[in-house]
Amino acid sequence: MFGKSKISASMMCSNLLDLKETIDIFENEKIDYLHIDMMDGEFVPNFGLGVDYIRGLRELTSIPLDIHLMIKNPEYKIRWIGIKKDDIVSIHYESTYQVQRALDWLKPLGCKCFLAVNPATPICVLEEVLDYIDGINLLMVNPGFAGQKIVKSTLKKAEKLKNMLIEYNKENLLFQVDGNITPENGKKLKKIGAEIFVAGTSSIFKGTVEEYANNIDVFRSALI
Ligand code: DX5
Ligand code: ZN
């Protein structure tokens, strides 16, 4: 919590036709992570970036991936993905009955293990797994689509998460926020304690690829 802000660019928002140019800009701008929304059409009503996309991206860049698994029963599929030690991988609390086992099976892959929670999932579900995670991905929208508006109650929920981490002496856990992170929402969430910000159509991916570098500067200055 309250660490140096890191930007995780949401690749579901990028234009495949500009991918190489986009990655070059992200390397120049020192983007911290590439956010990969892997979606199975079951856990969320959308299909998303898959194993082939990740393999291709690894050929293009060494920017670490922030893999957001919006898939059912991720514990049986994590070894298909090609997860690396510098990656973040978020498993959704709501996506498996065996949450702690899924985290146990993810840990040996060496990545940072995050638990993602949807807007309606209460923060107390984290209580029993705080010792098994490196961070939390707090969904500020109902996941699966870019371009949505923040679910109002999630701002208060972010405060509850901060208070919980302080109460359990777990301020060292990384606090990520995902969904409609505009510069304004980013500023508010930074004050609350968030430190990894998923940047999609609300921040970086606005206008043409020529505008991305400026969009990053505007977003970054809101997160100081
Ligand atoms: C939501 C996705 C995010 C994000 C995209 O399911 O996980 O990648 O919403 O960015 P925005 O919300 O700014 O379009
Ligand atoms: Zn995401």
Side-chain angles (χ1 to χ4, degrees):
M1 255 192 336
F2 294 110
K4 182 176 173 303
S5 298
K6 292 190 184 314
I7 295 178
S8 185
S10 179
M11 297 309 287
M12 74 182 281
C13 307
S14 69
N15 176 343
L16 268 183
L17 300 177
D18 300 329
L19 189 58
K20 178 78 180 73
E21 199 178 344
T22 302
I23 293 295
D24 291 345
I25 292 165
F26 287 176
E27 289 183 339
N28 291 336
E29 296 297 322
K30 302 205 177 343
I31 288 288
D32 302 280
Y33 290 98
L34 301 180
H35 188 80
I36 308 292
D37 288 308
M38 190 175 280
M39 299 180 268
D40 65 0
E42 228 189 317
F43 180 69
V44 289
N46 195 358
F47 283 108
L49 309 174
V51 177
D52 291 340
Y53 179 84
I54 286 178
R55 201 174 296 124
L57 217 45
R58 298 276 200 205
E59 304 278 311
L60 270 182
T61 182
S62 56
I63 299 177
L65 303 185
D66 164 29
I67 303 170
H68 178 191
L69 294 177
M70 289 176 270
I71 62 177
K72 283 199 82 163
N73 301 320
E75 61 270 33
Y76 298 108
K77 302 159 187 171
I78 46 180
R79 290 187 179 278
W80 303 345
I81 298 172
I83 290 166
K84 293 189 184 298
K85 293 199 178 329
D86 289 344
D87 294 343
I88 292 173
V89 176
S90 290
I91 281 176
H92 261 274
Y93 170 81
E94 308 86 355
S95 67
T96 170
Y97 292 121
Q98 307 296 341
V99 176
Q100 199 282 328
R101 175 191 289 160
L103 292 166
D104 262 357
W105 288 3
L106 182 61
K107 200 93 196 151
L109 302 185
C111 56
K112 286 191 183 57
C113 305
F114 279 30
L115 197 64
V117 283
N118 284 334
T121 303
I123 284 299
C124 62
V125 304
L126 292 165
E127 265 170 32
E128 300 306 329
V129 288
L130 287 173
D131 291 340
Y132 301 97
I133 56 176
D134 301 298
I136 298 101
N137 181 7
L138 198 65
L139 271 289
M140 311 305 279
V141 298
N142 290 298
F145 298 93
Q148 300 182 93
K149 287 296 166 231
I150 196 168
V151 172
K152 283 259 167 308
S153 54
T154 57
L155 283 166
K156 214 158 87 217
K157 186 176 170 183
E159 288 281 355
K160 286 183 195 169
L161 174 58
K162 176 194 61 182
N163 295 335
M164 173 187 212
L165 294 180
I166 292 169
E167 185 194 340
Y168 283 81
N169 208 5
K170 287 283 181 179
E171 292 105 303
N172 63 311
L173 292 186
L174 296 168
F175 182 169
Q176 176 176 19
V177 285
D178 184 357
N180 192 218
I181 311 300
T182 60
E184 300 71 31
N185 289 336
K187 205 186 196 85
K188 284 181 202 161
L189 289 161
K190 170 76 182 171
K191 273 208 193 82
I192 292 172
E195 59 210 296
I196 303 175
F197 300 85
V198 175
T201 63
S202 310
S203 53
I204 293 181
F205 295 98
K206 282 195 280 201
T208 61
V209 64
E210 288 72 27
E211 296 168 78
Y212 288 178
N214 182 57
N215 293 345
I216 292 167
D217 289 347
V218 168
F219 192 47
R220 198 167 256 147
S221 50
L223 303 176
I224 293 171

